[in-house]
Amino acid sequence: MAVDVIMPQMGESIFEGTITKWFKKPGDRIERDEPLFEISTDKVDAEIPAPAAGVLKEIKVSEGKTVPIQTVVAVIEAVGESAAAPGPSPVSAPAPGKAEASKAAAAPPVPAVAPAAAATPAAAAPPVTTAPPAVRGNGQKIRSSPLVRRLAKEHHVDLAGIGGSGAGGRISKKDILAALESGGAPPLAPAAQAITPSVTPSEPPAGGGAMAHPALENAVPRERIYFGNYEVRPMSAMRQRIAEHMVASHRVSAHVYSIDEADMTRIAKIRERSKASFETKYGTKLTYMPFFVRACVEGLRVFPTVNASADGTTIVLHREINVGIAVALDWGLIVPVLKKAEEKNFLGLVRGINDLAERARAKKLNPEEVQEATFSITNPGIYGGLMGLPVINQPNVAILCIGAVGKRPVVIDDAIAIRSMVYLTLSYDHRVVDGATAHQFVGRVKSYLEGWNEEVL
């Protein structure tokens, strides 16, 4: 019997997905729960397992195309018992309409049109608190994704005046981009614009064409880019989201940096002495990261403004400490979130951090596991980086960069000693965090690391 393979819903706020890769081709044999295709959504990338064993009969949606949830993307000629729907729980929604076509992937040597706006970043995007009206004039509820609402906010667009082509009249990314390109997007009322954070909308490409997101626009004339012997390689969906997220962060936050140096000698000795027995006892590796997370948690308890978000002229102080930890992937970067880190003991931190990193690399994260960070940490030191000046992960107001832990000569009591040292760089949003607070926070983290007295076994 034939079994339909559908585009699953990867979270309550996600209504479409982009197929980035098929692992099988028509005619191939596949087992139940074997990875069949890979999708990229507004929040996370994931591998979707086959709902049944059999032969892949037909692929209905090709790589690179974005379609609504519940769309049939392939058909399997099942062998034996059929299976339930794949991975994430499906929703009982009416069958969506025609799938959206994706934008062209590769540009010609001298492209005439800029690429379309990217999906939302892998890391969680800033919440839209000053939203367009929730209903149209006729009382009908406006249905749209977080990406559409954010684009509407950035371009000061009233979604009530845009028709939706998606399931149930949902406004899709295609709808709002088409409205922006045609110039027919209705502006927000002046009162609404006055309380919307100042964001410079992108200008249409010279000579017309599709509206491009500012993160993806060229900063220099194209004749200075396409010359000599070169290869054109389109950005992946994840790369586009990262570009959008980073440019938006620099545009929104006033980035300032505080740098200090911590003596990690005591922790280095504890780790070296305990890492073998720790892995034997608990079945997981002992890295430096849980030490830094624990120290940051203690610092955030004392300086709660660093564990905050900015909403226009309002500061949101988070009572929970959710630490986003940047994980480098072969195909990009993602920031899974360790929730309620303040409630975990040291072993809980180790297991939580390692589990998130492993599942991030295996594309097994759930959308909610890359959302709701209140503070972030990035660790280029594992690649030998001495220090860095990271971009703030919105909607956080601070991110700590950890450099390489290495032995250096330092002066202690007027004598030169060889110690294991590390540079700590805090990037913070000066709209919320002042320099004095930032330096005190970093000093608190440094003090906790240097005076470590918690048992790890």
Side-chain angles (χ1 to χ4, degrees):
M1 62 177 289
V3 176
D4 289 338
V5 180
I6 65 169
M7 174 64 71
Q9 183 168 18
M10 297 296 293
E12 291 184 0
S13 63
I14 296 175
F15 302 98
E16 62 182 14
T18 301
I19 294 182
T20 55
K21 184 178 181 180
W22 284 98
F23 298 113
K24 299 289 184 177
K25 59 182 183 295
D28 284 355
R29 171 82 187 186
I30 188 165
E31 299 298 327
R32 177 176 176 170
D33 295 330
E34 183 182 357
L36 178 56
F37 62 101
E38 179 182 287
I39 65 171
S40 177
T41 70
D42 285 2
K43 304 297 181 186
V44 70
D45 291 356
E47 294 179 354
I48 305 303
V55 176
L56 183 59
K57 182 179 179 181
E58 180 185 4
I59 291 177
K60 292 180 175 289
V61 179
S62 59
E63 292 180 358
K65 289 195 174 182
T66 302
V67 295
I69 59 171
Q70 303 301 300
T71 299
V72 178
V73 299
V75 177
I76 294 175
E77 190 64 40
V79 177
E81 62 174 5
S82 59
S89 57
V91 294
S92 55
K98 184 178 179 181
E100 294 184 42
S102 64
K103 302 298 179 182
V110 184
V113 183
T120 52
V128 179
T129 53
T130 306
V135 295
R136 304 184 190 276
N138 59 6
Q140 180 185 5
K141 184 178 178 181
I142 297 175
R143 303 179 66 196
S144 62
S145 69
L147 168 62
V148 169
R149 294 193 292 274
R150 184 156 54 81
L151 288 173
K153 181 179 178 181
E154 290 180 355
H155 296 282
H156 308 296
V157 171
D158 185 355
L159 290 180
I162 299 178
S165 62
R170 182 176 303 281
I171 300 174
S172 67
K173 180 178 69 176
K174 178 183 67 177
D175 296 327
I176 190 170
L177 290 177
L180 290 170
E181 180 182 352
S182 65
L188 284 173
Q193 291 187 22
I195 59 175
T196 302
S198 176
V199 177
T200 304
S202 62
E203 297 295 330
M211 176 69 65
H213 190 280
L216 305 179
E217 291 179 352
N218 291 327
V220 296
R222 290 181 177 173
E223 58 268 20
R224 292 175 57 187
I225 300 174
Y226 297 92
F227 58 86
N229 186 11
Y230 63 87
E231 174 187 356
V232 175
R233 180 178 298 176
M235 285 187 179
S236 65
M238 175 176 279
R239 191 79 259 157
Q240 292 179 26
R241 290 196 299 273
I242 292 171
E244 177 186 340
H245 194 47
M246 294 298 97
V247 171
S249 182
H250 258 300
R251 186 175 67 244
V252 170
S253 295
H255 281 65
V256 186
Y257 310 95
S258 294
I259 303 174
D260 207 336
E261 190 176 21
D263 188 340
M264 292 286 289
T265 304
R266 177 180 297 192
I267 289 177
K269 290 179 178 178
I270 292 173
R271 178 175 175 268
E272 186 63 30
R273 183 175 64 245
S274 306
K275 63 181 181 180
S277 53
F278 189 94
E279 185 169 1
T280 300
K281 184 176 181 179
Y282 298 118
T284 189
K285 292 183 178 180
L286 179 62
T287 66
Y288 281 117
M289 183 56 72
F291 295 94
F292 290 113
V293 172
R294 169 65 81 215
C296 286
V297 167
E298 296 307 314
L300 294 170
R301 291 183 197 271
V302 180
F303 301 99
T305 53
V306 184
N307 191 55
S309 301
D311 178 21
T313 57
T314 301
I315 298 174
V316 181
L317 299 173
H318 300 288
R319 299 182 187 278
E320 299 168 348
I321 298 177
N322 300 338
V323 182
I325 302 172
V327 176
L329 310 172
D330 292 339
W331 55 94
L333 178 74
I334 197 167
V335 186
V337 181
L338 185 68
K339 303 288 181 70
K340 297 185 178 180
E342 78 280 6
E343 297 181 357
K344 301 182 184 297
N345 61 17
F346 186 80
L347 177 59
L349 292 177
V350 174
R351 284 183 166 160
I353 293 167
N354 291 347
D355 173 64
L356 287 172
E358 289 169 5
R359 288 192 293 113
R361 297 185 180 101
K363 299 186 178 181
K364 301 296 184 184
L365 290 175
N366 297 317
E368 61 271 15
E369 292 176 313
V370 294
Q371 300 178 57
E372 300 181 356
T374 62
F375 179 81
S376 298
I377 298 176
T378 182
N379 185 18
I382 61 175
Y383 302 106
L386 191 61
M387 68 171 64
L389 303 176
V391 179
I392 295 169
N393 179 34
Q394 297 295 325
N396 302 163
V397 297
I399 180 172
L400 183 71
C401 179
I402 301 168
V405 177
K407 292 185 177 182
R408 292 194 286 274
V410 296
V411 177
I412 300 177
D413 296 331
D414 294 330
I416 296 176
I418 304 300
R419 310 289 289 181
S420 294
M421 306 297 292
V422 65
Y423 284 110
L424 305 174
T425 304
L426 184 74
S427 299
Y428 57 97
D429 189 340
H430 213 334
R431 297 178 303 163
V432 178
V433 183
D434 290 329
T437 302
H439 283 286
Q440 289 178 82
F441 168 78
V442 177
R444 180 77 177 191
V445 172
K446 169 183 176 176
S447 175
Y448 198 86
L449 291 171
E450 293 180 343
W452 186 272
N453 59 8
E454 185 175 348
E455 293 293 331
V456 301
L457 284 172

